[in-house]
Amino acid sequence: MKLNMDTPIMRALAKITDVMLLQFAFILTSLPVFTIGAGLSALFATTRKVKHDSVTSTLRSYFVEFKANFKQSTIVWILFLMVGFILFVDISYYRAQGKSGLNTLMLVGAWVLVIVVYLIAVYVFPLIAWFENGVRAHLKNALIMSASHFLTTVLVTVVYGVFALMALVIMPLFFFVGFSGSIYLSGRLISHALSKHDSNLEPEPNDIK
């Protein structure tokens, strides 16, 4: 009996397998820590191709995208790490200083900046993965997209929250699909939002980087 590979179940299993392969590729390439940004962009780029069935070798595509987006993604990731460290120090300091009016104001301001950084982070890596632009333009566009597609931002946050909960409750499952699975789902949400914003922002599969 010949097994029919072109069925909904088999296609779904193939995508799950691709997501698992991407999970391990991401973990491997993220070990140096400073390469996490490049890994995130590579995940967004490759899971998008998996969605469109436009990739012949998932791992090869991942490493090609990792190399192609390495410079911009690493610059942005290191920038996030630096800003995140500064905000962490600020928040820790102002919390330790007590509840005076000025300290409370500075603490609120620091948390607002944390939210802004998160909003940018939600969109900047898929934008780097999918479109040609400079780092400054990517950061600016990411902030604009987070505001203009607020519902998508909320849904993506829910996706990340669910997978973060998975890491705490079902760690073995998270180990196999946690990072790549969350990027696959959030990437679909972001891609859909971008296509509504401007049809030119949704390339056909053959035009994907």
Side-chain angles (χ1 to χ4, degrees):
M1 183 179 72
K2 185 177 180 180
L3 185 63
N4 183 8
M5 301 297 292
D6 190 23
T7 64
I9 293 178
M10 296 306 295
R11 288 195 296 269
L13 288 175
K15 282 183 168 56
I16 292 172
T17 301
D18 287 335
V19 168
M20 292 175 64
L21 288 173
L22 290 172
Q23 171 82 358
F24 294 121
F26 175 74
I27 292 174
L28 177 65
T29 56
S30 296
L31 291 178
V33 179
F34 76 92
T35 57
I36 289 176
L40 289 171
S41 291
L43 276 183
F44 275 109
T46 312
T47 53
R48 187 185 180 98
K49 292 180 179 179
V50 168
K51 170 195 169 186
H52 288 292
D53 296 316
S54 60
V55 58
T56 54
S57 173
T58 303
L59 290 178
R60 180 180 180 278
S61 178
Y62 176 87
F63 286 108
V64 168
E65 297 292 348
F66 182 89
K67 180 180 178 180
N69 298 311
F70 183 84
K71 183 177 180 180
Q72 284 193 334
S73 300
T74 302
I75 290 173
V76 171
W77 176 249
I78 291 176
L79 180 62
F80 282 160
L81 289 179
M82 293 172 59
V83 173
F85 176 75
I86 293 172
L87 290 173
F88 173 78
V89 172
D90 284 347
I91 291 172
S92 299
Y93 173 79
Y94 289 117
R95 288 184 64 182
Q97 293 304 303
K99 296 184 178 181
S100 69
L102 180 59
N103 285 339
T104 301
L105 181 62
M106 296 300 292
L107 187 60
V108 170
W111 277 112
V112 169
L113 289 177
V114 169
I115 294 172
V116 171
V117 170
Y118 168 75
L119 293 176
I120 294 174
V122 167
Y123 290 90
V124 71
F125 292 108
L127 288 177
I128 291 173
W130 300 338
F131 305 105
E132 298 287 349
N133 223 326
V135 170
R136 183 178 299 180
H138 279 314
L139 292 171
K140 177 182 177 181
N141 291 337
L143 184 58
I144 293 172
M145 296 304 299
S146 67
S148 60
H149 296 286
F150 181 73
L151 178 58
T152 298
T153 306
V154 171
L155 291 175
V156 169
T157 301
V158 170
V159 169
Y160 292 153
V162 169
F163 277 86
L165 183 62
M166 180 192 297
L168 297 174
V169 180
I170 320 175
M171 188 59 190
L173 181 59
F174 182 86
F175 178 76
F176 283 102
V177 298
F179 297 112
S180 57
S182 63
I183 295 300
Y184 181 83
L185 294 176
S186 64
R188 297 191 70 164
L189 290 169
I190 294 170
S191 177
H192 182 66
L194 290 174
S195 67
K196 284 186 174 182
H197 178 76
D198 185 342
S199 60
N200 293 326
L201 295 179
E202 175 72 12
E204 293 299 320
N206 292 335
D207 296 330
I208 297 172
K209 286 171 57 181

